[in-house]
Amino acid sequence: MQGLIGKKLGMTSVYNADGRNIPCTVIEAGPCVVTQIKTSDKEGYDAIQIAYDDKKEKHSNACELGHFKKAKTTPKRKVIEVRDFDGEEKNLGDLLTAEMFEEGEWVDVVGTTKGKGFQGVVKRHGFAGVGGQTHGQHNRQRKPGSIGACSTPSRVFKGMRMGGRTGNDRVKVANLRVLKVLADKNLIVVKGSVPGHKGAYVIIEK
Amino acid sequence: MDAFKTIESEIKELKQFPEFKAGDTVNVSYKIKEGEKERVQQFQGVVLQRRSNGVNETFTVRKISNGVGVERIFPLSSPFLEEIKILKRGKVRRARLFYLREKSGKAARIKEDYRKKEEKAEA
């Protein structure tokens, strides 16, 4: 697997070869620095650790400073691990850029969805609600209805879908087409939407 | 989001068209695909509004076709857009001329801006 950390910049649209207007998301992809190399001999599995987005030294603690100093780089905000990194051998301090993506290939994008707060079952689980508003109905249009039988089992089953905190979940969107790569500006444009708000960190995998 | 606007303009091309605004009468040449064949369609009418900005800008053209009002929205960055010809400069007092939808016949006329017409001739 190959991966890169990025930032969702926003959505726009581009015209494809047929002249159709295609919705797309612009992602600032990298540049990421390799900050640690994990091997099966030492850590028990193969992976590389990559870091993205500079932060000030005064916002980092001593452990972070030391860790980034080993890779001869500045402190970074976001650090992830990519298991079984494909491609050539990486060394500490190596740069990974948007050049690893090509136009037309497929990528997966991982992000955290926008938090929606406490939501009812209609929004959270796609319940249909009660349907009509007449025939004596009132105050139950978006209610979940029955959550179980009476004396048998005389309890509510675990996992019953109810209202609650919605969004703010880690989500992977699979198979997004890379429409454009602007390697000099570290930008890639993928077709469709990507989880999270503008400026949110995303992980691009392929 | 100014930075994003510049990114947008890099990934989307914008052709150059003559300046026009709401109230102008224009003739738009628009490429149309019919199966395999491609041909150019003309749409002539009054510009009701120009909307949004940069590469996302669109404009609405209204015409009366067989007694029925027809409106078409064209994206300025559309690759199908071939040419915009300005036939008449209109003298209007607002940027969006939706009041034209309720008017018909003589009431829906727009005064011509002769000042602008002469400017155009000089240039």
Side-chain angles (χ1 to χ4, degrees):
Chain A
M1 199 177 74
Q2 289 195 44
L4 208 59
I5 317 172
K7 216 184 240 180
K8 173 175 170 178
L9 292 187
M11 288 193 72
T12 179
S13 63
V14 290
Y15 292 96
N16 69 359
D18 303 334
R20 293 184 67 126
N21 209 354
I22 308 274
C24 61
T25 310
V26 183
I27 302 171
E28 186 186 81
C32 297
V33 188
V34 178
T35 48
Q36 194 181 354
I37 291 155
K38 301 196 171 179
T39 55
S40 38
D41 297 340
K42 209 174 162 208
E43 280 88 6
Y45 60 94
D46 286 308
I48 64 163
Q49 187 192 68
I50 55 177
Y52 167 70
D53 211 10
D54 283 334
K55 69 174 173 182
K56 287 186 176 164
E57 276 187 16
K58 70 174 178 184
H59 293 142
S60 330
N61 56 32
C63 334
E64 283 172 350
L65 283 176
H67 184 67
F68 289 114
K69 211 173 164 187
K70 262 191 219 163
K72 296 192 177 58
T73 177
T74 51
K76 307 281 184 197
R77 270 179 220 281
K78 182 82 180 167
V79 178
I80 64 157
E81 208 173 271
V82 183
R83 291 284 282 261
D84 304 318
F85 197 85
D86 299 336
E88 54 197 278
E89 197 98 334
K90 295 286 172 203
N91 296 316
L92 271 187
D94 278 2
L95 265 188
L96 298 179
T97 61
E99 277 169 26
M100 64 194 264
F101 299 108
E102 279 169 37
E103 276 172 35
E105 75 179 343
W106 304 94
V107 292
D108 297 347
V109 178
V110 183
T112 308
T113 55
K114 282 182 189 171
K116 308 275 184 215
F118 193 104
Q119 295 296 333
V121 287
V122 174
K123 194 184 195 87
R124 192 168 185 227
H125 298 298
F127 283 20
V130 84
Q133 295 201 2
T134 126
H135 298 301
Q137 310 268 16
H138 79 104
N139 70 22
R140 68 186 77 142
Q141 266 89 3
R142 295 172 71 89
K143 288 280 189 323
S146 166
I147 54 169
C150 188
S151 54
T152 347
S154 69
R155 65 189 176 91
V156 175
F157 290 124
K158 274 189 176 176
M160 181 62 62
R161 291 175 297 167
M162 295 189 188
R165 289 278 186 95
T166 307
N168 202 19
D169 300 315
R170 183 189 158 103
V171 167
K172 182 188 278 189
V173 184
N175 294 333
L176 298 177
R177 177 89 76 179
V178 177
L179 296 177
K180 275 191 167 99
V181 179
L182 302 164
D184 52 330
K185 290 213 150 71
N186 294 315
L187 297 176
I188 67 165
V189 180
V190 296
K191 183 181 169 186
S193 58
V194 154
H197 53 84
K198 286 176 196 168
Y201 289 119
V202 291
I203 302 166
I204 311 143
E205 296 173 348
K206 73 165 182 179
Chain B
M1 272 331 269
D2 258 352
F4 191 68
K5 280 262 176 304
T6 40
I7 294 169
E8 268 189 328
S9 59
E10 265 171 48
I11 58 176
K12 224 169 167 183
E13 265 177 61
L14 192 58
K15 281 186 231 163
Q16 286 299 313
F17 291 109
E19 215 172 280
F20 64 97
K21 62 179 189 60
D24 295 350
T25 307
V26 293
N27 188 332
V28 182
S29 306
Y30 203 70
K31 264 188 273 180
I32 288 204
K33 257 189 193 159
E34 286 171 337
E36 289 297 294
K37 266 194 256 170
E38 213 179 55
R39 64 185 186 87
V40 177
Q41 198 180 58
Q42 310 288 331
F43 195 92
Q44 187 174 324
V46 180
V47 178
L48 284 199
Q49 65 165 346
R50 290 183 69 154
R51 209 174 152 272
S52 191
N53 48 31
V55 287
N56 297 322
E57 186 168 350
T58 63
F59 63 99
T60 310
V61 183
R62 178 183 170 86
K63 75 167 178 182
I64 308 291
S65 174
N66 299 330
V68 184
V70 178
E71 278 178 28
R72 239 190 121 159
I73 301 167
F74 297 99
L76 263 185
S77 59
S78 167
F80 291 129
L81 200 56
E82 283 225 313
E83 197 190 3
I84 304 172
K85 245 189 240 160
I86 294 148
L87 308 174
K88 216 159 99 181
R89 297 279 185 185
K91 193 173 178 183
V92 289
R93 299 174 79 156
R94 52 212 73 219
R96 284 159 201 220
L97 309 177
F98 299 137
Y99 68 87
L100 285 181
R101 289 173 180 163
E102 271 92 59
K103 313 252 180 207
S104 65
K106 277 190 171 181
R109 283 175 303 175
I110 291 175
K111 271 189 190 161
E112 191 170 354
D113 194 340
Y114 291 102
R115 201 163 42 90
K116 278 217 171 137
K117 197 183 180 186
E118 279 160 23
E119 264 175 36
K120 202 182 148 199
E122 276 169 30

PDB file of all heavy atoms in Angstrom, chain A residues 9-15 18-19 21 26 180 182 185 187 189, chain B residues 1 4 7-8 10-12 33 55-56 75-80:
ATOM      1  N   LEU A   9      -9.259  20.847   0.597  1.00  0.00           N
ATOM      2  CA  LEU A   9      -9.312  22.294   0.381  1.00  0.00           C
ATOM      3  C   LEU A   9     -10.710  22.760   0.006  1.00  0.00           C
ATOM      4  O   LEU A   9     -11.091  23.883   0.299  1.00  0.00           O
ATOM      5  CB  LEU A   9      -8.338  22.711  -0.719  1.00  0.00           C
ATOM      6  CG  LEU A   9      -6.856  22.569  -0.393  1.00  0.00           C
ATOM      7  CD1 LEU A   9      -6.027  23.160  -1.495  1.00  0.00           C
ATOM      8  CD2 LEU A   9      -6.523  23.238   0.915  1.00  0.00           C
ATOM      9  N   GLY A  10     -11.478  21.924  -0.649  1.00  0.00           N
ATOM     10  CA  GLY A  10     -12.825  22.329  -1.017  1.00  0.00           C
ATOM     11  C   GLY A  10     -13.262  21.626  -2.279  1.00  0.00           C
ATOM     12  O   GLY A  10     -12.490  20.898  -2.901  1.00  0.00           O
ATOM     13  N   MET A  11     -14.520  21.877  -2.637  1.00  0.00           N
ATOM     14  CA  MET A  11     -15.062  21.198  -3.813  1.00  0.00           C
ATOM     15  C   MET A  11     -15.287  22.186  -4.953  1.00  0.00           C
ATOM     16  O   MET A  11     -15.535  23.364  -4.736  1.00  0.00           O
ATOM     17  CB  MET A  11     -16.380  20.499  -3.469  1.00  0.00           C
ATOM     18  CG  MET A  11     -16.175  19.276  -2.614  1.00  0.00           C
ATOM     19  SD  MET A  11     -17.627  18.241  -2.519  1.00  0.00           S
ATOM     20  CE  MET A  11     -17.662  17.518  -4.155  1.00  0.00           C
ATOM     21  N   THR A  12     -15.183  21.684  -6.160  1.00  0.00           N
ATOM     22  CA  THR A  12     -15.462  22.486  -7.343  1.00  0.00           C
ATOM     23  C   THR A  12     -15.875  21.502  -8.434  1.00  0.00           C
ATOM     24  O   THR A  12     -16.287  20.384  -8.131  1.00  0.00           O
ATOM     25  CB  THR A  12     -14.246  23.347  -7.737  1.00  0.00           C
ATOM     26  OG1 THR A  12     -14.547  24.078  -8.897  1.00  0.00           O
ATOM     27  CG2 THR A  12     -13.015  22.495  -7.974  1.00  0.00           C
ATOM     28  N   SER A  13     -15.774  21.901  -9.677  1.00  0.00           N
ATOM     29  CA  SER A  13     -16.121  20.983 -10.756  1.00  0.00           C
ATOM     30  C   SER A  13     -15.171  21.202 -11.915  1.00  0.00           C
ATOM     31  O   SER A  13     -14.623  22.284 -12.084  1.00  0.00           O
ATOM     32  CB  SER A  13     -17.566  21.207 -11.205  1.00  0.00           C
ATOM     33  OG  SER A  13     -17.705  22.497 -11.735  1.00  0.00           O
ATOM     34  N   VAL A  14     -14.966  20.143 -12.697  1.00  0.00           N
ATOM     35  CA  VAL A  14     -14.158  20.266 -13.917  1.00  0.00           C
ATOM     36  C   VAL A  14     -14.928  19.648 -15.074  1.00  0.00           C
ATOM     37  O   VAL A  14     -15.839  18.853 -14.863  1.00  0.00           O
ATOM     38  CB  VAL A  14     -12.790  19.552 -13.788  1.00  0.00           C
ATOM     39  CG1 VAL A  14     -11.896  20.270 -12.829  1.00  0.00           C
ATOM     40  CG2 VAL A  14     -12.953  18.117 -13.406  1.00  0.00           C
ATOM     41  N   TYR A  15     -14.562  20.044 -16.274  1.00  0.00           N
ATOM     42  CA  TYR A  15     -15.175  19.455 -17.464  1.00  0.00           C
ATOM     43  C   TYR A  15     -14.311  18.306 -17.950  1.00  0.00           C
ATOM     44  O   TYR A  15     -13.093  18.444 -18.043  1.00  0.00           O
ATOM     45  CB  TYR A  15     -15.326  20.500 -18.560  1.00  0.00           C
ATOM     46  CG  TYR A  15     -16.341  21.553 -18.212  1.00  0.00           C
ATOM     47  CD1 TYR A  15     -15.962  22.751 -17.653  1.00  0.00           C
ATOM     48  CD2 TYR A  15     -17.688  21.308 -18.426  1.00  0.00           C
ATOM     49  CE1 TYR A  15     -16.908  23.706 -17.311  1.00  0.00           C
ATOM     50  CE2 TYR A  15     -18.636  22.250 -18.095  1.00  0.00           C
ATOM     51  CZ  TYR A  15     -18.243  23.444 -17.541  1.00  0.00           C
ATOM     52  OH  TYR A  15     -19.173  24.368 -17.202  1.00  0.00           O
ATOM     53  N   ASP A  18     -15.720  14.721 -22.591  1.00  0.00           N
ATOM     54  CA  ASP A  18     -17.007  14.809 -23.271  1.00  0.00           C
ATOM     55  C   ASP A  18     -17.697  16.147 -23.027  1.00  0.00           C
ATOM     56  O   ASP A  18     -18.786  16.384 -23.540  1.00  0.00           O
ATOM     57  CB  ASP A  18     -17.949  13.704 -22.765  1.00  0.00           C
ATOM     58  CG  ASP A  18     -17.345  12.338 -22.947  1.00  0.00           C
ATOM     59  OD1 ASP A  18     -16.513  12.201 -23.846  1.00  0.00           O
ATOM     60  OD2 ASP A  18     -17.713  11.428 -22.188  1.00  0.00           O
ATOM     61  N   GLY A  19     -17.103  16.990 -22.199  1.00  0.00           N
ATOM     62  CA  GLY A  19     -17.708  18.278 -21.907  1.00  0.00           C
ATOM     63  C   GLY A  19     -18.683  18.220 -20.751  1.00  0.00           C
ATOM     64  O   GLY A  19     -19.399  19.176 -20.488  1.00  0.00           O
ATOM     65  N   ASN A  21     -19.813  18.271 -16.864  1.00  0.00           N
ATOM     66  CA  ASN A  21     -19.328  18.946 -15.668  1.00  0.00           C
ATOM     67  C   ASN A  21     -19.271  17.928 -14.526  1.00  0.00           C
ATOM     68  O   ASN A  21     -20.291  17.381 -14.130  1.00  0.00           O
ATOM     69  CB  ASN A  21     -20.291  20.078 -15.324  1.00  0.00           C
ATOM     70  CG  ASN A  21     -19.603  21.200 -14.610  1.00  0.00           C
ATOM     71  OD1 ASN A  21     -18.434  21.094 -14.276  1.00  0.00           O
ATOM     72  ND2 ASN A  21     -20.324  22.266 -14.377  1.00  0.00           N
ATOM     73  N   VAL A  26     -10.733  19.153  -4.291  1.00  0.00           N
ATOM     74  CA  VAL A  26      -9.316  19.494  -4.383  1.00  0.00           C
ATOM     75  C   VAL A  26      -8.667  19.161  -3.043  1.00  0.00           C
ATOM     76  O   VAL A  26      -9.151  19.569  -1.994  1.00  0.00           O
ATOM     77  CB  VAL A  26      -9.120  20.984  -4.705  1.00  0.00           C
ATOM     78  CG1 VAL A  26      -7.650  21.290  -4.877  1.00  0.00           C
ATOM     79  CG2 VAL A  26      -9.883  21.364  -5.947  1.00  0.00           C
ATOM     80  N   LYS A 180      -6.932  15.104 -11.765  1.00  0.00           N
ATOM     81  CA  LYS A 180      -5.800  15.960 -12.099  1.00  0.00           C
ATOM     82  C   LYS A 180      -4.757  15.870 -11.014  1.00  0.00           C
ATOM     83  O   LYS A 180      -5.071  15.664  -9.835  1.00  0.00           O
ATOM     84  CB  LYS A 180      -6.260  17.421 -12.215  1.00  0.00           C
ATOM     85  CG  LYS A 180      -6.802  17.768 -13.580  1.00  0.00           C
ATOM     86  CD  LYS A 180      -6.989  19.251 -13.734  1.00  0.00           C
ATOM     87  CE  LYS A 180      -7.219  19.576 -15.175  1.00  0.00           C
ATOM     88  NZ  LYS A 180      -8.500  19.785 -15.640  1.00  0.00           N
ATOM     89  N   LEU A 182      -1.516  18.271  -9.817  1.00  0.00           N
ATOM     90  CA  LEU A 182      -0.666  19.449  -9.986  1.00  0.00           C
ATOM     91  C   LEU A 182       0.499  19.277  -9.015  1.00  0.00           C
ATOM     92  O   LEU A 182       0.456  19.740  -7.875  1.00  0.00           O
ATOM     93  CB  LEU A 182      -1.446  20.733  -9.680  1.00  0.00           C
ATOM     94  CG  LEU A 182      -2.702  20.973 -10.506  1.00  0.00           C
ATOM     95  CD1 LEU A 182      -3.575  22.020  -9.879  1.00  0.00           C
ATOM     96  CD2 LEU A 182      -2.344  21.386 -11.915  1.00  0.00           C
ATOM     97  N   LYS A 185       2.313  22.148  -7.183  1.00  0.00           N
ATOM     98  CA  LYS A 185       1.568  22.822  -6.113  1.00  0.00           C
ATOM     99  C   LYS A 185       1.098  21.824  -5.056  1.00  0.00           C
ATOM    100  O   LYS A 185       0.326  22.184  -4.161  1.00  0.00           O
ATOM    101  CB  LYS A 185       0.362  23.531  -6.711  1.00  0.00           C
ATOM    102  CG  LYS A 185       0.716  24.740  -7.547  1.00  0.00           C
ATOM    103  CD  LYS A 185      -0.365  25.775  -7.404  1.00  0.00           C
ATOM    104  CE  LYS A 185       0.148  27.177  -7.552  1.00  0.00           C
ATOM    105  NZ  LYS A 185       0.521  27.526  -8.887  1.00  0.00           N
ATOM    106  N   LEU A 187      -1.056  19.468  -5.322  1.00  0.00           N
ATOM    107  CA  LEU A 187      -2.511  19.341  -5.325  1.00  0.00           C
ATOM    108  C   LEU A 187      -2.926  18.132  -6.147  1.00  0.00           C
ATOM    109  O   LEU A 187      -2.309  17.821  -7.161  1.00  0.00           O
ATOM    110  CB  LEU A 187      -3.162  20.579  -5.936  1.00  0.00           C
ATOM    111  CG  LEU A 187      -2.965  21.901  -5.223  1.00  0.00           C
ATOM    112  CD1 LEU A 187      -3.578  23.017  -6.014  1.00  0.00           C
ATOM    113  CD2 LEU A 187      -3.572  21.853  -3.847  1.00  0.00           C
ATOM    114  N   VAL A 189      -6.755  16.411  -7.634  1.00  0.00           N
ATOM    115  CA  VAL A 189      -8.194  16.620  -7.767  1.00  0.00           C
ATOM    116  C   VAL A 189      -8.823  15.247  -7.952  1.00  0.00           C
ATOM    117  O   VAL A 189      -8.458  14.514  -8.864  1.00  0.00           O
ATOM    118  CB  VAL A 189      -8.496  17.508  -8.986  1.00  0.00           C
ATOM    119  CG1 VAL A 189      -9.987  17.729  -9.120  1.00  0.00           C
ATOM    120  CG2 VAL A 189      -7.776  18.837  -8.865  1.00  0.00           C
TER     121      VAL A 189
ATOM    122  N   MET B   1     -11.644  32.479   1.043  1.00  0.00           N
ATOM    123  CA  MET B   1     -11.235  31.357   0.182  1.00  0.00           C
ATOM    124  C   MET B   1     -10.620  31.879  -1.116  1.00  0.00           C
ATOM    125  O   MET B   1     -10.856  31.338  -2.179  1.00  0.00           O
ATOM    126  CB  MET B   1     -12.453  30.502  -0.151  1.00  0.00           C
ATOM    127  CG  MET B   1     -12.784  29.403   0.834  1.00  0.00           C
ATOM    128  SD  MET B   1     -11.474  28.670   1.756  1.00  0.00           S
ATOM    129  CE  MET B   1     -11.005  27.328   0.711  1.00  0.00           C
ATOM    130  N   PHE B   4      -8.405  29.428  -2.810  1.00  0.00           N
ATOM    131  CA  PHE B   4      -9.100  28.357  -3.501  1.00  0.00           C
ATOM    132  C   PHE B   4      -9.564  28.803  -4.884  1.00  0.00           C
ATOM    133  O   PHE B   4      -9.578  28.023  -5.822  1.00  0.00           O
ATOM    134  CB  PHE B   4     -10.293  27.894  -2.660  1.00  0.00           C
ATOM    135  CG  PHE B   4     -10.898  26.625  -3.159  1.00  0.00           C
ATOM    136  CD1 PHE B   4     -10.181  25.441  -3.076  1.00  0.00           C
ATOM    137  CD2 PHE B   4     -12.145  26.608  -3.732  1.00  0.00           C
ATOM    138  CE1 PHE B   4     -10.721  24.260  -3.541  1.00  0.00           C
ATOM    139  CE2 PHE B   4     -12.690  25.435  -4.205  1.00  0.00           C
ATOM    140  CZ  PHE B   4     -11.974  24.262  -4.108  1.00  0.00           C
ATOM    141  N   ILE B   7      -6.821  28.341  -7.270  1.00  0.00           N
ATOM    142  CA  ILE B   7      -6.673  26.918  -7.612  1.00  0.00           C
ATOM    143  C   ILE B   7      -7.726  26.524  -8.640  1.00  0.00           C
ATOM    144  O   ILE B   7      -7.446  25.856  -9.627  1.00  0.00           O
ATOM    145  CB  ILE B   7      -6.810  26.052  -6.346  1.00  0.00           C
ATOM    146  CG1 ILE B   7      -5.652  26.321  -5.402  1.00  0.00           C
ATOM    147  CG2 ILE B   7      -6.864  24.587  -6.712  1.00  0.00           C
ATOM    148  CD1 ILE B   7      -5.834  25.732  -4.040  1.00  0.00           C
ATOM    149  N   GLU B   8      -8.959  26.991  -8.385  1.00  0.00           N
ATOM    150  CA  GLU B   8     -10.050  26.678  -9.314  1.00  0.00           C
ATOM    151  C   GLU B   8      -9.724  27.155 -10.726  1.00  0.00           C
ATOM    152  O   GLU B   8      -9.950  26.450 -11.692  1.00  0.00           O
ATOM    153  CB  GLU B   8     -11.330  27.370  -8.847  1.00  0.00           C
ATOM    154  CG  GLU B   8     -12.189  26.530  -7.955  1.00  0.00           C
ATOM    155  CD  GLU B   8     -13.539  27.174  -7.712  1.00  0.00           C
ATOM    156  OE1 GLU B   8     -13.605  28.407  -7.681  1.00  0.00           O
ATOM    157  OE2 GLU B   8     -14.498  26.427  -7.563  1.00  0.00           O
ATOM    158  N   GLU B  10      -6.992  27.433 -12.023  1.00  0.00           N
ATOM    159  CA  GLU B  10      -5.927  26.652 -12.653  1.00  0.00           C
ATOM    160  C   GLU B  10      -6.419  25.344 -13.225  1.00  0.00           C
ATOM    161  O   GLU B  10      -5.912  24.863 -14.232  1.00  0.00           O
ATOM    162  CB  GLU B  10      -4.830  26.354 -11.617  1.00  0.00           C
ATOM    163  CG  GLU B  10      -3.714  27.359 -11.683  1.00  0.00           C
ATOM    164  CD  GLU B  10      -2.772  27.180 -10.534  1.00  0.00           C
ATOM    165  OE1 GLU B  10      -2.359  26.034 -10.284  1.00  0.00           O
ATOM    166  OE2 GLU B  10      -2.454  28.187  -9.889  1.00  0.00           O
ATOM    167  N   ILE B  11      -7.420  24.741 -12.547  1.00  0.00           N
ATOM    168  CA  ILE B  11      -7.879  23.449 -13.038  1.00  0.00           C
ATOM    169  C   ILE B  11      -9.021  23.595 -14.027  1.00  0.00           C
ATOM    170  O   ILE B  11      -9.447  22.638 -14.630  1.00  0.00           O
ATOM    171  CB  ILE B  11      -8.282  22.516 -11.882  1.00  0.00           C
ATOM    172  CG1 ILE B  11      -9.377  23.143 -11.028  1.00  0.00           C
ATOM    173  CG2 ILE B  11      -7.101  22.160 -11.032  1.00  0.00           C
ATOM    174  CD1 ILE B  11      -9.866  22.208  -9.953  1.00  0.00           C
ATOM    175  N   LYS B  12      -9.538  24.802 -14.198  1.00  0.00           N
ATOM    176  CA  LYS B  12     -10.665  25.008 -15.103  1.00  0.00           C
ATOM    177  C   LYS B  12     -10.326  26.188 -16.002  1.00  0.00           C
ATOM    178  O   LYS B  12      -9.907  27.225 -15.526  1.00  0.00           O
ATOM    179  CB  LYS B  12     -11.902  25.339 -14.261  1.00  0.00           C
ATOM    180  CG  LYS B  12     -13.136  24.622 -14.686  1.00  0.00           C
ATOM    181  CD  LYS B  12     -14.172  24.824 -13.616  1.00  0.00           C
ATOM    182  CE  LYS B  12     -15.515  24.417 -14.102  1.00  0.00           C
ATOM    183  NZ  LYS B  12     -16.545  24.664 -13.095  1.00  0.00           N
ATOM    184  N   LYS B  33     -24.322  18.149 -28.984  1.00  0.00           N
ATOM    185  CA  LYS B  33     -23.996  16.826 -29.480  1.00  0.00           C
ATOM    186  C   LYS B  33     -25.273  16.052 -29.693  1.00  0.00           C
ATOM    187  O   LYS B  33     -26.096  15.905 -28.796  1.00  0.00           O
ATOM    188  CB  LYS B  33     -23.116  16.105 -28.462  1.00  0.00           C
ATOM    189  CG  LYS B  33     -21.677  16.092 -28.876  1.00  0.00           C
ATOM    190  CD  LYS B  33     -20.880  15.200 -27.965  1.00  0.00           C
ATOM    191  CE  LYS B  33     -19.410  15.463 -28.195  1.00  0.00           C
ATOM    192  NZ  LYS B  33     -18.606  15.039 -27.066  1.00  0.00           N
ATOM    193  N   VAL B  55     -14.390  31.120 -12.490  1.00  0.00           N
ATOM    194  CA  VAL B  55     -14.673  30.039 -13.426  1.00  0.00           C
ATOM    195  C   VAL B  55     -16.065  29.467 -13.244  1.00  0.00           C
ATOM    196  O   VAL B  55     -16.550  28.717 -14.078  1.00  0.00           O
ATOM    197  CB  VAL B  55     -13.650  28.892 -13.284  1.00  0.00           C
ATOM    198  CG1 VAL B  55     -12.323  29.301 -13.854  1.00  0.00           C
ATOM    199  CG2 VAL B  55     -13.524  28.456 -11.864  1.00  0.00           C
ATOM    200  N   ASN B  56     -16.730  29.818 -12.137  1.00  0.00           N
ATOM    201  CA  ASN B  56     -18.060  29.256 -11.889  1.00  0.00           C
ATOM    202  C   ASN B  56     -19.169  30.176 -12.368  1.00  0.00           C
ATOM    203  O   ASN B  56     -20.331  29.945 -12.101  1.00  0.00           O
ATOM    204  CB  ASN B  56     -18.240  28.987 -10.403  1.00  0.00           C
ATOM    205  CG  ASN B  56     -17.254  27.964  -9.907  1.00  0.00           C
ATOM    206  OD1 ASN B  56     -16.955  27.014 -10.613  1.00  0.00           O
ATOM    207  ND2 ASN B  56     -16.721  28.164  -8.737  1.00  0.00           N
ATOM    208  N   PRO B  75     -23.002  28.167 -18.451  1.00  0.00           N
ATOM    209  CA  PRO B  75     -21.792  28.379 -17.665  1.00  0.00           C
ATOM    210  C   PRO B  75     -20.735  29.043 -18.560  1.00  0.00           C
ATOM    211  O   PRO B  75     -20.534  28.600 -19.692  1.00  0.00           O
ATOM    212  CB  PRO B  75     -21.345  26.973 -17.256  1.00  0.00           C
ATOM    213  CG  PRO B  75     -22.416  26.051 -17.724  1.00  0.00           C
ATOM    214  CD  PRO B  75     -23.199  26.758 -18.790  1.00  0.00           C
ATOM    215  N   LEU B  76     -20.079  30.066 -18.031  1.00  0.00           N
ATOM    216  CA  LEU B  76     -19.105  30.783 -18.857  1.00  0.00           C
ATOM    217  C   LEU B  76     -17.895  29.913 -19.196  1.00  0.00           C
ATOM    218  O   LEU B  76     -17.229  30.127 -20.195  1.00  0.00           O
ATOM    219  CB  LEU B  76     -18.628  32.043 -18.128  1.00  0.00           C
ATOM    220  CG  LEU B  76     -19.318  33.348 -18.498  1.00  0.00           C
ATOM    221  CD1 LEU B  76     -18.663  34.492 -17.794  1.00  0.00           C
ATOM    222  CD2 LEU B  76     -19.322  33.591 -19.996  1.00  0.00           C
ATOM    223  N   SER B  77     -17.593  28.920 -18.345  1.00  0.00           N
ATOM    224  CA  SER B  77     -16.404  28.109 -18.607  1.00  0.00           C
ATOM    225  C   SER B  77     -16.737  26.848 -19.392  1.00  0.00           C
ATOM    226  O   SER B  77     -15.892  25.980 -19.553  1.00  0.00           O
ATOM    227  CB  SER B  77     -15.729  27.739 -17.291  1.00  0.00           C
ATOM    228  OG  SER B  77     -16.630  27.020 -16.499  1.00  0.00           O
ATOM    229  N   SER B  78     -17.988  26.728 -19.863  1.00  0.00           N
ATOM    230  CA  SER B  78     -18.378  25.508 -20.567  1.00  0.00           C
ATOM    231  C   SER B  78     -17.591  25.340 -21.865  1.00  0.00           C
ATOM    232  O   SER B  78     -17.444  26.288 -22.639  1.00  0.00           O
ATOM    233  CB  SER B  78     -19.867  25.570 -20.880  1.00  0.00           C
ATOM    234  OG  SER B  78     -20.193  24.563 -21.808  1.00  0.00           O
ATOM    235  N   PRO B  79     -17.070  24.146 -22.120  1.00  0.00           N
ATOM    236  CA  PRO B  79     -16.342  23.934 -23.370  1.00  0.00           C
ATOM    237  C   PRO B  79     -17.248  23.966 -24.592  1.00  0.00           C
ATOM    238  O   PRO B  79     -16.767  24.049 -25.716  1.00  0.00           O
ATOM    239  CB  PRO B  79     -15.712  22.551 -23.185  1.00  0.00           C
ATOM    240  CG  PRO B  79     -16.485  21.898 -22.128  1.00  0.00           C
ATOM    241  CD  PRO B  79     -17.072  22.960 -21.268  1.00  0.00           C
ATOM    242  N   PHE B  80     -18.566  23.882 -24.385  1.00  0.00           N
ATOM    243  CA  PHE B  80     -19.494  23.914 -25.508  1.00  0.00           C
ATOM    244  C   PHE B  80     -19.791  25.332 -25.984  1.00  0.00           C
ATOM    245  O   PHE B  80     -20.355  25.530 -27.039  1.00  0.00           O
ATOM    246  CB  PHE B  80     -20.813  23.245 -25.121  1.00  0.00           C
ATOM    247  CG  PHE B  80     -20.681  21.764 -24.934  1.00  0.00           C
ATOM    248  CD1 PHE B  80     -21.153  21.143 -23.795  1.00  0.00           C
ATOM    249  CD2 PHE B  80     -20.081  20.988 -25.909  1.00  0.00           C
ATOM    250  CE1 PHE B  80     -21.029  19.783 -23.633  1.00  0.00           C
ATOM    251  CE2 PHE B  80     -19.962  19.623 -25.752  1.00  0.00           C
ATOM    252  CZ  PHE B  80     -20.437  19.029 -24.610  1.00  0.00           C
TER     253      PHE B  80
END
